[in-house]
Amino acid sequence: MSLDSKTNPQATAATDIEAVSRQMAALREDLSRLTETVSGIAGRRGSRMAADIAEGFDEAKHYAASKGRSAEARLEESVAAHPFMTIGLAAGAGFLVGALSRR
């Protein structure tokens, strides 16, 4: 302890309060910069994630469309190759739906 603190405790208290106030101001400034940094990082990651998701949906849409066209083409080929079997299957499905809907 210094001689001033023994003789003038109010001056020491004022100096301590002033030091704590400066430290609190520095802490607020550091937290503000940290918040800005984290917001920037989150914004960049969020925009990249949104772009990746959009790209994934676009790829899934193209994949489903190509598979749908492929399945449609195979179905048309099958119907053209076996027309009577197709008619029989359609009639059987109709009877089944009719029987289930009566209950």
Side-chain angles (χ1 to χ4, degrees):
M1 281 185 136
S2 70
L3 186 59
D4 286 341
S5 65
K6 289 180 182 176
T7 59
N8 193 356
Q10 290 178 344
T12 304
T15 306
D16 290 345
I17 291 173
E18 196 174 301
V20 169
S21 294
R22 282 194 307 270
Q23 290 175 354
M24 291 296 288
L27 182 60
R28 278 193 292 271
E29 186 177 324
D30 289 344
L31 284 175
S32 176
R33 282 191 297 233
L34 179 62
T35 301
E36 290 173 7
T37 302
V38 169
S39 296
I41 290 169
R44 287 190 300 274
R45 283 188 180 171
S47 64
R48 277 185 286 192
M49 188 182 299
D52 289 346
I53 289 171
E55 183 179 328
F57 279 137
D58 193 39
E59 288 176 10
K61 184 177 95 175
H62 289 301
Y63 178 78
S66 69
K67 288 298 179 181
R69 285 190 296 272
S70 175
E72 182 182 0
R74 285 195 312 264
L75 181 62
E76 286 179 4
E77 289 172 7
S78 177
V79 168
H82 309 288
F84 293 117
M85 185 170 71
T86 304
I87 292 171
L89 286 173
F95 284 127
L96 181 63
V97 169
L100 291 175
S101 67
R102 276 190 258 169
R103 293 182 183 179

